[in-house]
């Protein structure tokens, strides 16, 4: 498996609290992505990064922000969590932009009460 | 942006039968079409991909076909086995800064 870890793996929080999910990679891949997975919706892109301090919005970016200050770390922040953000979040990395294999992390299950 | 539709949402077959999952895409500029398999509780993993200059690609029991004119592509699994049971996702991309768009997934169950 590619060297990619997500933390925390499980989190329960309350509506209105901030939450940060961390993705850490040891592959030195330039491209990193955050997806959320919900039943019936597949994998939907939240934000992605093409390098340090180079990020862009995906199809479901409202309510989320990201930061990438180092190649190896990509942080996803929910500024004020809502119940609709209860989901499984996957980080993915790639060495090619959008036409190469995505290596996924193990996922972070977030429950917002 | 790109829209990828995937059918069926669930598929049950007997062991040894074939399974076919179909996807359509909307952006004629898409040129990369991967398939990912996600076993229960695990991360998605790439099983096969195809690029727009190829009409078909095979890897042992799995194959993918692409019809660019009709904008659809399909995954074919032959001689299914219980370990093929998983959720399968198709995806499409135009490359560049346009990220992969995934279909909604197909849950395949192979009955022993």
């Amino acid at each position: 498996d590619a060297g990619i870890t997500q933390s925390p793996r499980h989190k329960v929080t309350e509506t209105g609290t901030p939450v940060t999910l961390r993705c850490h990679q040891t592959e030195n891949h330039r491209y990193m992505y955050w997806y959320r997975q919900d039943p019936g919706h597949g994998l939907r892109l939240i934000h992605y990064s093409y390098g340090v301090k180079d990020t862009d919005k995906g199809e479901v970016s409202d309510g989320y922000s990201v930061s990438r200050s180092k190649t190896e770390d990509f942080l996803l922040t929910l500024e004020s969590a809502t119940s609709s953000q209860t989901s499984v979040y996957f980080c993915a990395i790639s060495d090619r932009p959008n036409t190469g294999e995505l290596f996924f992390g193990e996922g972070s299950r977030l429950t917002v009460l | 942006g790109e829209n990828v539709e995937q059918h069926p949402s669930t598929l049950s077959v007997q062991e040894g039968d074939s399974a076919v999952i179909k996807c359509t895409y909307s952006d004629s500029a898409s040129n990369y079409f991967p398939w990912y398999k996600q076993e229960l509780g695990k991360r998605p993993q790439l099983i096969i991909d195809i690029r727009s200059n190829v009409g078909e690609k095979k890897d042992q029991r799995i194959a993918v076909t692409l019809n660019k004119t009709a904008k659809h592509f399909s995954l074919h699994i032959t001689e299914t086995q219980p370990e093929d049971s998983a959720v399968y996702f198709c995806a499409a991309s135009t490359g560049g800064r346009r990220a992969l768009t995934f279909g909604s997934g197909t849950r395949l169950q192979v009955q022993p």
Side-chain angles (χ1 to χ4, degrees), chain A residues 11-77:
Chain A
K11 186 172 182 66
V12 179
T13 191
E14 293 189 348
T15 298
T17 59
V19 176
T20 294
L21 305 180
R22 181 186 185 225
C23 179
H24 179 77
Q25 59 139 332
T26 58
E27 303 295 324
N28 201 35
H29 284 350
R30 179 177 174 182
Y31 308 98
M32 300 186 74
Y33 308 83
W34 276 108
Y35 286 89
R36 61 177 287 173
Q37 183 173 27
D38 305 288
H41 292 279
L43 294 156
R44 293 181 292 175
L45 183 66
I46 306 171
H47 282 280
Y48 57 101
S49 172
Y50 276 38
V52 173
K53 297 183 180 179
D54 182 2
T55 64
D56 210 343
K57 297 179 179 180
E59 61 183 304
V60 290
S61 60
D62 287 348
Y64 302 95
S65 62
V66 290
S67 66
R68 192 164 177 205
S69 58
K70 297 185 291 184
T71 298
E72 58 266 35
D73 289 325
F74 192 31
L75 304 180
L76 176 70
T77 297

Coordinates of all heavy atoms in Angstrom, one line a residue, chain A residues 11-77:
Chain A
K11 N -14.3 10.0 14.3 CA -14.5 11.1 15.2 C -16.0 11.4 15.3 O -16.7 11.3 14.3 CB -13.8 12.4 14.6 CG -13.9 13.6 15.6 CD -13.1 14.7 15.1 CE -13.2 15.9 16.1 NZ -12.6 15.5 17.4
V12 N -16.4 11.7 16.5 CA -17.8 12.1 16.8 C -17.7 13.5 17.3 O -17.0 13.7 18.3 CB -18.5 11.1 17.8 CG1 -19.9 11.6 18.0 CG2 -18.5 9.7 17.2
T13 N -18.5 14.4 16.8 CA -18.5 15.8 17.2 C -19.9 16.3 17.2 O -20.8 15.7 16.8 CB -17.5 16.6 16.3 OG1 -17.3 17.9 16.9 CG2 -18.1 16.8 14.9
E14 N -20.0 17.5 17.7 CA -21.3 18.1 17.8 C -21.4 19.3 16.7 O -20.4 19.9 16.3 CB -21.5 18.7 19.2 CG -21.6 17.6 20.2 CD -22.1 18.1 21.6 OE1 -22.1 19.4 21.8 OE2 -22.4 17.3 22.4
T15 N -22.6 19.5 16.3 CA -22.9 20.6 15.4 C -22.3 21.9 15.8 O -22.4 22.2 17.0 CB -24.4 20.7 15.2 OG1 -25.0 19.5 14.6 CG2 -24.8 21.9 14.2
G16 N -21.7 22.6 14.9 CA -21.1 23.9 15.2 C -19.7 23.9 15.6 O -19.0 24.9 15.7
T17 N -19.1 22.7 15.9 CA -17.7 22.7 16.3 C -16.8 22.5 15.1 O -17.2 22.0 14.1 CB -17.4 21.5 17.2 OG1 -17.8 20.3 16.6 CG2 -18.3 21.6 18.5
P18 N -15.6 23.1 15.2 CA -14.6 22.9 14.1 C -14.0 21.5 14.1 O -13.8 20.9 15.2 CB -13.6 24.0 14.4 CG -13.6 24.2 15.8 CD -15.1 23.9 16.3
V19 N -13.7 21.0 12.9 CA -13.0 19.7 12.8 C -11.9 19.8 11.8 O -12.1 20.4 10.7 CB -14.1 18.6 12.4 CG1 -13.4 17.3 12.2 CG2 -15.2 18.5 13.4
T20 N -10.8 19.2 12.1 CA -9.7 19.1 11.1 C -9.3 17.7 10.9 O -9.1 16.9 11.9 CB -8.5 19.9 11.5 OG1 -8.9 21.3 11.5 CG2 -7.4 19.7 10.5
L21 N -9.3 17.2 9.6 CA -8.8 15.9 9.3 C -7.5 16.1 8.6 O -7.3 17.0 7.8 CB -9.8 15.2 8.3 CG -11.3 15.1 8.8 CD1 -12.1 14.4 7.7 CD2 -11.4 14.4 10.1
R22 N -6.6 15.1 8.9 CA -5.2 15.2 8.4 C -4.9 14.1 7.4 O -5.3 12.9 7.7 CB -4.2 15.3 9.5 CG -2.8 15.4 9.0 CD -1.8 15.2 10.2 NE -0.4 15.5 9.8 CZ 0.6 14.7 10.2 NH1 0.3 13.6 10.9 NH2 1.8 14.9 9.8
C23 N -4.3 14.4 6.3 CA -3.8 13.4 5.4 C -2.3 13.5 5.3 O -1.8 14.6 5.0 CB -4.4 13.5 4.1 SG -3.9 12.4 2.8
H24 N -1.6 12.5 5.6 CA -0.1 12.5 5.5 C 0.4 11.4 4.6 O 0.0 10.3 4.7 CB 0.4 12.3 7.0 CG 1.9 12.2 7.0 ND1 2.7 13.4 7.0 CD2 2.8 11.2 7.1 CE1 4.0 13.1 7.0 NE2 4.1 11.7 7.1
Q25 N 1.3 11.8 3.7 CA 1.9 10.9 2.7 C 3.4 10.9 2.8 O 4.0 11.9 3.1 CB 1.4 11.2 1.3 CG 1.8 12.6 0.9 CD 2.3 12.7 -0.6 OE1 2.8 11.7 -1.1 NE2 2.1 13.9 -1.2
T26 N 3.9 9.7 2.5 CA 5.4 9.6 2.5 C 5.9 9.3 1.1 O 7.0 8.8 0.9 CB 5.8 8.5 3.4 OG1 5.2 7.2 3.1 CG2 5.5 8.8 4.9
E27 N 5.0 9.4 0.1 CA 5.4 9.1 -1.3 C 5.9 10.3 -2.1 O 6.3 10.1 -3.3 CB 4.1 8.5 -2.0 CG 3.5 7.3 -1.4 CD 4.4 6.1 -1.4 OE1 5.2 5.9 -2.3 OE2 4.4 5.4 -0.3
N28 N 5.9 11.4 -1.5 CA 6.3 12.6 -2.2 C 5.5 12.9 -3.5 O 6.0 13.5 -4.5 CB 7.8 12.6 -2.6 CG 8.4 14.0 -2.8 OD1 8.0 14.9 -2.2 ND2 9.3 14.0 -3.7
H29 N 4.2 12.5 -3.5 CA 3.4 12.8 -4.7 C 2.9 14.2 -4.6 O 2.6 14.7 -3.5 CB 2.2 11.8 -4.7 CG 2.5 10.4 -5.1 ND1 3.7 10.1 -5.7 CD2 1.8 9.3 -5.1 CE1 3.8 8.8 -6.0 NE2 2.6 8.3 -5.6
R30 N 2.8 14.8 -5.8 CA 2.5 16.2 -5.9 C 1.0 16.4 -5.7 O 0.6 17.4 -5.1 CB 2.9 16.7 -7.2 CG 2.6 18.2 -7.4 CD 3.2 18.7 -8.8 NE 2.7 20.0 -9.1 CZ 3.0 20.7 -10.2 NH1 3.8 20.1 -11.1 NH2 2.6 21.9 -10.4
Y31 N 0.2 15.5 -6.1 CA -1.3 15.7 -6.2 C -2.0 15.0 -5.1 O -1.8 13.8 -4.8 CB -1.8 15.2 -7.6 CG -1.0 15.8 -8.7 CD1 0.0 15.1 -9.3 CD2 -1.2 17.1 -9.1 CE1 0.8 15.7 -10.3 CE2 -0.5 17.7 -10.1 CZ 0.6 17.0 -10.7 OH 1.3 17.5 -11.7
M32 N -2.8 15.8 -4.4 CA -3.6 15.3 -3.3 C -5.1 15.7 -3.4 O -5.3 16.8 -3.8 CB -3.0 15.7 -1.9 CG -1.5 15.2 -1.7 SD -0.9 15.6 -0.1 CE -1.7 14.4 0.9
Y33 N -5.9 14.8 -2.9 CA -7.4 15.0 -3.0 C -8.1 14.7 -1.7 O -7.7 13.7 -1.0 CB -7.9 14.2 -4.2 CG -7.2 14.3 -5.5 CD1 -6.0 13.6 -5.7 CD2 -7.6 15.1 -6.5 CE1 -5.3 13.7 -6.9 CE2 -7.0 15.3 -7.7 CZ -5.8 14.5 -7.9 OH -5.1 14.7 -9.1
W34 N -9.2 15.3 -1.5 CA -10.1 14.9 -0.4 C -11.5 14.6 -1.1 O -12.0 15.4 -1.8 CB -10.3 16.1 0.6 CG -9.3 16.1 1.7 CD1 -8.3 17.0 1.8 CD2 -9.2 15.2 2.8 NE1 -7.6 16.7 2.9 CE2 -8.1 15.6 3.5 CE3 -9.9 14.0 3.2 CZ2 -7.7 14.9 4.7 CZ3 -9.5 13.4 4.3 CH2 -8.4 13.8 5.1
Y35 N -12.0 13.4 -0.8 CA -13.3 13.0 -1.3 C -14.2 12.7 0.0 O -13.7 12.3 1.0 CB -13.2 11.7 -2.1 CG -12.6 11.9 -3.5 CD1 -11.3 11.8 -3.7 CD2 -13.5 12.1 -4.6 CE1 -10.8 12.0 -5.0 CE2 -13.0 12.3 -5.9 CZ -11.6 12.2 -6.0 OH -11.1 12.3 -7.3
R36 N -15.5 12.8 -0.2 CA -16.4 12.2 0.7 C -17.2 11.1 0.1 O -17.5 11.2 -1.1 CB -17.3 13.3 1.4 CG -18.2 14.0 0.4 CD -19.1 15.0 1.2 NE -20.1 14.4 1.9 CZ -21.0 15.0 2.8 NH1 -20.9 16.3 2.9 NH2 -21.9 14.3 3.4
Q37 N -17.5 10.1 0.9 CA -18.3 9.0 0.4 C -19.6 8.9 1.1 O -19.6 8.7 2.4 CB -17.5 7.7 0.5 CG -18.3 6.5 -0.1 CD -17.5 5.3 -0.2 OE1 -16.5 5.0 0.6 NE2 -17.8 4.4 -1.2
D38 N -20.7 8.9 0.4 CA -22.0 8.8 1.0 C -22.8 7.8 0.2 O -22.7 7.7 -1.0 CB -22.8 10.1 1.0 CG -22.0 11.2 1.7 OD1 -21.9 11.2 2.9 OD2 -21.4 12.1 1.0
P39 N -23.7 7.0 0.9 CA -24.5 6.0 0.1 C -25.3 6.7 -1.0 O -25.9 7.7 -0.9 CB -25.4 5.5 1.2 CG -24.7 5.7 2.5 CD -23.9 7.0 2.3
G40 N -25.2 6.1 -2.2 CA -25.9 6.5 -3.4 C -25.3 7.7 -4.1 O -25.7 8.1 -5.1
H41 N -24.1 8.2 -3.5 CA -23.5 9.3 -4.2 C -22.0 9.0 -4.6 O -21.4 9.8 -5.3 CB -23.4 10.5 -3.3 CG -24.8 11.1 -3.0 ND1 -25.4 12.0 -3.9 CD2 -25.6 11.0 -2.0 CE1 -26.5 12.4 -3.4 NE2 -26.7 11.7 -2.2
G42 N -21.6 7.8 -4.3 CA -20.2 7.5 -4.7 C -19.2 8.3 -4.0 O -19.4 8.7 -2.8
L43 N -18.2 8.7 -4.7 CA -17.1 9.5 -4.2 C -17.2 10.9 -4.8 O -17.1 11.0 -6.0 CB -15.7 8.9 -4.5 CG -15.5 7.5 -3.9 CD1 -14.4 6.7 -4.7 CD2 -15.0 7.7 -2.4
R44 N -17.3 11.9 -4.0 CA -17.5 13.2 -4.5 C -16.3 14.1 -4.0 O -15.9 14.1 -2.8 CB -18.8 13.9 -4.0 CG -20.0 13.2 -4.6 CD -21.3 13.9 -4.2 NE -21.5 13.7 -2.8 CZ -22.5 14.2 -2.1 NH1 -23.4 15.1 -2.7 NH2 -22.7 14.0 -0.8
L45 N -15.7 14.8 -4.9 CA -14.5 15.6 -4.7 C -14.8 16.9 -3.9 O -15.7 17.6 -4.3 CB -13.8 15.9 -6.0 CG -12.5 16.7 -5.9 CD1 -11.4 15.8 -5.3 CD2 -12.1 17.2 -7.3
I46 N -14.1 17.1 -2.8 CA -14.3 18.2 -2.0 C -13.3 19.4 -2.4 O -13.7 20.5 -2.7 CB -14.1 17.9 -0.5 CG1 -15.0 16.7 -0.1 CG2 -14.5 19.1 0.4 CD1 -14.7 16.2 1.3
H47 N -12.0 19.1 -2.3 CA -10.9 20.0 -2.6 C -9.8 19.1 -3.1 O -9.7 17.9 -2.8 CB -10.5 20.8 -1.4 CG -11.3 21.9 -1.0 ND1 -11.3 23.2 -1.7 CD2 -12.2 22.1 -0.1 CE1 -12.1 24.0 -1.1 NE2 -12.7 23.3 -0.1
Y48 N -8.9 19.8 -3.9 CA -7.7 19.1 -4.3 C -6.5 20.0 -4.3 O -6.7 21.3 -4.3 CB -7.9 18.4 -5.7 CG -8.3 19.3 -6.8 CD1 -7.4 19.7 -7.7 CD2 -9.6 19.6 -7.0 CE1 -7.8 20.5 -8.8 CE2 -10.0 20.4 -8.0 CZ -9.1 20.9 -8.9 OH -9.5 21.6 -10.0
S49 N -5.3 19.5 -4.4 CA -4.1 20.3 -4.4 C -3.1 19.8 -5.4 O -2.9 18.6 -5.6 CB -3.5 20.2 -3.0 OG -2.2 20.8 -3.0
Y50 N -2.5 20.8 -6.1 CA -1.6 20.4 -7.1 C -0.1 20.7 -6.7 O 0.8 20.7 -7.4 CB -1.9 21.2 -8.4 CG -2.9 20.5 -9.3 CD1 -4.0 19.8 -8.7 CD2 -2.7 20.5 -10.7 CE1 -4.9 19.2 -9.5 CE2 -3.7 19.9 -11.5 CZ -4.7 19.2 -10.9 OH -5.6 18.6 -11.7
G51 N 0.0 21.1 -5.4 CA 1.3 21.3 -4.8 C 1.1 22.2 -3.6 O 0.0 22.6 -3.2
V52 N 2.3 22.5 -3.0 CA 2.2 23.3 -1.8 C 1.6 24.7 -2.1 O 1.9 25.3 -3.1 CB 3.7 23.6 -1.3 CG1 3.6 24.6 -0.1 CG2 4.3 22.3 -0.8
K53 N 0.6 25.0 -1.3 CA -0.2 26.3 -1.4 C -0.9 26.4 -2.7 O -1.3 27.5 -3.1 CB 0.8 27.5 -1.2 CG 1.3 27.5 0.2 CD 2.2 28.7 0.5 CE 2.7 28.7 1.9 NZ 3.6 29.8 2.3
D54 N -1.1 25.3 -3.4 CA -1.9 25.3 -4.7 C -3.1 24.4 -4.5 O -3.0 23.2 -4.7 CB -1.0 24.9 -5.9 CG -1.7 24.9 -7.2 OD1 -2.9 25.3 -7.3 OD2 -1.1 24.5 -8.2
T55 N -4.2 25.0 -4.2 CA -5.4 24.2 -4.0 C -6.6 24.7 -4.8 O -6.6 25.9 -5.2 CB -5.8 24.2 -2.5 OG1 -6.2 25.5 -2.1 CG2 -4.7 23.7 -1.6
D56 N -7.6 23.9 -5.0 CA -8.7 24.3 -5.7 C -10.0 23.5 -5.2 O -9.9 22.5 -4.6 CB -8.5 24.0 -7.2 CG -9.3 25.0 -8.1 OD1 -10.2 25.7 -7.6 OD2 -8.9 25.0 -9.3
K57 N -11.1 24.1 -5.6 CA -12.4 23.5 -5.1 C -12.9 22.4 -6.0 O -12.7 22.4 -7.2 CB -13.5 24.6 -5.1 CG -13.2 25.7 -4.1 CD -14.3 26.8 -4.2 CE -14.0 27.9 -3.2 NZ -15.1 28.9 -3.2
G58 N -13.5 21.4 -5.3 CA -14.2 20.4 -6.1 C -15.7 20.6 -6.2 O -16.1 21.7 -6.0
E59 N -16.4 19.6 -6.4 CA -17.9 19.7 -6.7 C -18.7 20.0 -5.4 O -19.8 20.5 -5.5 CB -18.4 18.5 -7.4 CG -18.2 17.2 -6.6 CD -18.7 16.0 -7.4 OE1 -19.9 16.0 -7.8 OE2 -17.9 15.0 -7.6
V60 N -18.2 19.6 -4.2 CA -18.9 19.8 -3.0 C -18.1 20.5 -1.9 O -17.9 20.0 -0.8 CB -19.4 18.4 -2.4 CG1 -20.5 17.9 -3.3 CG2 -18.3 17.4 -2.3
S61 N -17.6 21.7 -2.3 CA -16.6 22.4 -1.4 C -17.2 23.2 -0.3 O -16.6 23.7 0.6 CB -15.7 23.2 -2.3 OG -16.4 24.1 -3.0
D62 N -18.5 23.6 -0.5 CA -19.2 24.5 0.5 C -19.1 23.9 1.9 O -19.4 22.8 2.2 CB -20.6 24.7 0.2 CG -20.8 25.6 -1.1 OD1 -19.8 26.2 -1.5 OD2 -21.9 25.6 -1.6
G63 N -18.6 24.7 2.9 CA -18.4 24.3 4.3 C -17.1 23.7 4.6 O -16.9 23.3 5.7
Y64 N -16.2 23.6 3.6 CA -14.9 23.0 3.8 C -13.8 23.9 3.3 O -14.0 24.7 2.4 CB -14.8 21.7 3.0 CG -15.8 20.6 3.3 CD1 -16.9 20.5 2.5 CD2 -15.6 19.7 4.3 CE1 -17.9 19.5 2.7 CE2 -16.5 18.7 4.5 CZ -17.6 18.6 3.7 OH -18.5 17.6 3.9
S65 N -12.7 23.9 4.0 CA -11.5 24.5 3.5 C -10.3 23.6 3.7 O -10.4 22.6 4.4 CB -11.2 25.8 4.4 OG -11.0 25.5 5.7
V66 N -9.2 23.9 3.0 CA -8.1 23.0 3.0 C -6.8 23.9 3.1 O -6.8 25.1 2.8 CB -8.0 22.1 1.7 CG1 -9.1 21.1 1.7 CG2 -8.0 23.0 0.5
S67 N -5.8 23.2 3.5 CA -4.5 23.9 3.5 C -3.4 22.8 3.2 O -3.5 21.7 3.6 CB -4.2 24.5 4.8 OG -4.0 23.6 5.9
R68 N -2.4 23.3 2.5 CA -1.2 22.4 2.2 C 0.0 23.3 2.3 O 0.4 23.9 1.3 CB -1.4 21.8 0.8 CG -0.3 20.7 0.6 CD -0.7 19.8 -0.6 NE 0.3 18.8 -0.8 CZ 0.5 18.3 -2.0 NH1 -0.2 18.6 -3.0 NH2 1.4 17.3 -2.1
S69 N 0.7 23.2 3.4 CA 1.9 24.0 3.6 C 3.1 23.2 3.4 O 4.2 23.7 3.3 CB 1.9 24.6 5.0 OG 1.8 23.5 6.0
K70 N 3.0 21.9 3.4 CA 4.1 20.9 3.1 C 3.6 19.9 2.1 O 2.4 19.5 2.0 CB 4.5 20.2 4.4 CG 5.1 21.2 5.5 CD 5.6 20.4 6.6 CE 4.5 19.7 7.4 NZ 5.0 19.0 8.6
T71 N 4.5 19.4 1.3 CA 4.2 18.4 0.3 C 3.4 17.2 0.9 O 2.5 16.7 0.4 CB 5.4 17.9 -0.4 OG1 6.0 19.0 -1.1 CG2 5.1 16.8 -1.4
E72 N 3.9 16.8 2.1 CA 3.4 15.6 2.7 C 2.0 15.7 3.4 O 1.4 14.7 3.8 CB 4.4 14.9 3.6 CG 4.8 15.8 4.8 CD 6.1 16.6 4.4 OE1 6.3 17.0 3.3 OE2 6.9 16.9 5.4
D73 N 1.6 16.9 3.7 CA 0.4 17.0 4.5 C -0.7 17.9 3.8 O -0.4 18.9 3.2 CB 0.7 17.7 5.8 CG 1.5 16.8 6.8 OD1 1.2 15.6 6.8 OD2 2.3 17.4 7.5
F74 N -1.9 17.3 3.9 CA -3.1 18.0 3.3 C -4.2 18.0 4.3 O -4.7 16.9 4.7 CB -3.5 17.3 2.0 CG -4.5 18.0 1.1 CD1 -4.5 19.4 1.0 CD2 -5.4 17.3 0.3 CE1 -5.4 20.1 0.2 CE2 -6.2 18.0 -0.6 CZ -6.2 19.3 -0.6
L75 N -4.6 19.2 4.8 CA -5.5 19.2 5.9 C -6.9 19.7 5.4 O -7.0 20.6 4.5 CB -5.1 20.3 6.9 CG -3.7 20.0 7.6 CD1 -3.4 21.1 8.6 CD2 -3.6 18.7 8.2
L76 N -7.9 19.0 5.9 CA -9.3 19.4 5.5 C -10.0 19.9 6.8 O -10.0 19.2 7.8 CB -10.1 18.1 5.0 CG -11.6 18.3 4.7 CD1 -11.7 19.2 3.5 CD2 -12.3 17.0 4.5
T77 N -10.5 21.1 6.7 CA -11.2 21.7 7.9 C -12.7 22.0 7.6 O -13.0 22.5 6.6 CB -10.5 23.0 8.3 OG1 -9.1 22.7 8.6 CG2 -11.2 23.7 9.5

